[in-house]
Amino acid sequence: HTHVVIPNATQTQDGQWRSLSNELLYKNQHLLGSIYDSELAANLRDQGYRLETTPEGRWEIAGISKEQILEFSKRTQAIDQRLESLGLTRATATGEERETAALHTRSSKQEVDHSALREEWKDRAQTVGIDFKSIEEERVKGTQSPTTPSMTNDKSTAAVEFAIKHLTERESVVDKTEIMQT
């Protein structure tokens, strides 16, 4: 995952420093996350990776199973266990409850030997059968038939039409950010 740091400061033309108004960033954090996720997927496709859509509507790199992903999702498992101990699931918990569970299961940061950690990850990947060679071969093949602009435009138009149709089934007025996020 990625962290983005935005200083709460901006310098005006006269050299004065002022704080930012970040209400729109906070209000649109899900939309911004969706845009980021979409751009990441597009960049992976451009590099030749084949992506598969999950039942939840997210995407994964093809060739890596759910079980293999779970092997590298210890934090997710810890948070889910914490929620379960409270009689909750990710689906039934509020955002605040999920955040609290995440904070309660996070251990303090420690110094890490990154080369040793990388070797541990390689060993774990091999143990659970992740075949990086096969994924790389497929990626190379994928670069030989790149996405064309017309394919992207057709998919973009279809996505916007779907979002509008879906959102206006029960509502007559929808916000542009809702359309973009959907």
Side-chain angles (χ1 to χ4, degrees):
H1 69 266
T2 319
H3 292 269
V4 177
V5 177
I6 302 173
N8 187 16
T10 187
Q11 192 172 25
T12 61
Q13 288 181 336
D14 65 1
Q16 296 291 312
W17 286 94
R18 301 283 184 249
S19 62
L20 298 173
S21 174
N22 64 356
E23 291 85 7
L24 286 176
L25 284 174
Y26 188 77
K27 178 183 174 193
N28 292 302
Q29 63 184 325
H30 293 292
L31 170 63
L32 296 170
S34 295
I35 292 169
Y36 172 87
D37 200 48
S38 178
E39 287 295 315
L40 179 59
N43 286 325
L44 288 169
R45 280 190 200 96
D46 287 347
Q47 292 179 37
Y49 288 98
R50 190 169 56 87
L51 306 180
E52 297 174 330
T53 305
T54 68
E56 301 83 30
R58 300 194 50 91
W59 55 264
E60 302 289 353
I61 294 175
I64 301 177
S65 71
K66 184 75 169 171
E67 293 75 25
Q68 291 166 330
I69 292 168
L70 285 174
E71 173 60 32
F72 287 88
S73 303
K74 301 300 182 192
R75 284 282 297 133
T76 298
Q77 292 173 32
I79 293 166
D80 288 346
Q81 287 172 354
R82 171 74 179 190
L83 288 171
E84 188 178 318
S85 74
L86 300 170
L88 300 167
T89 66
R90 284 183 187 265
T92 61
T94 65
E96 185 178 347
E97 289 167 331
R98 289 190 301 272
E99 187 173 336
T100 301
L103 292 172
H104 277 92
T105 57
R106 182 170 50 197
S107 53
S108 59
K109 298 284 184 185
Q110 300 172 6
E111 284 294 317
V112 176
D113 177 352
H114 286 88
S115 60
L117 185 58
R118 199 169 284 113
E119 287 305 313
E120 179 193 329
W121 288 341
K122 285 181 186 177
D123 290 344
R124 285 171 57 198
Q126 187 174 18
T127 301
V128 296
I130 297 176
D131 185 359
F132 290 113
K133 183 179 178 193
S134 172
I135 293 168
E136 178 61 12
E137 287 170 356
E138 239 187 87
R139 186 195 72 78
V140 170
K141 277 192 246 175
T143 60
Q144 296 165 357
S145 57
T147 305
T148 65
S150 65
M151 290 167 62
T152 303
N153 289 339
D154 290 348
K155 287 183 178 185
S156 297
T157 300
V160 171
E161 288 172 353
F162 167 82
I164 292 170
K165 184 177 177 183
H166 175 72
L167 292 170
T168 57
E169 283 178 354
R170 293 190 173 85
E171 299 290 330
S172 58
V173 178
V174 294
D175 190 78
K176 180 173 90 173
T177 58
E178 290 177 283
I179 294 170
M180 290 172 59
Q181 189 167 347
T182 302

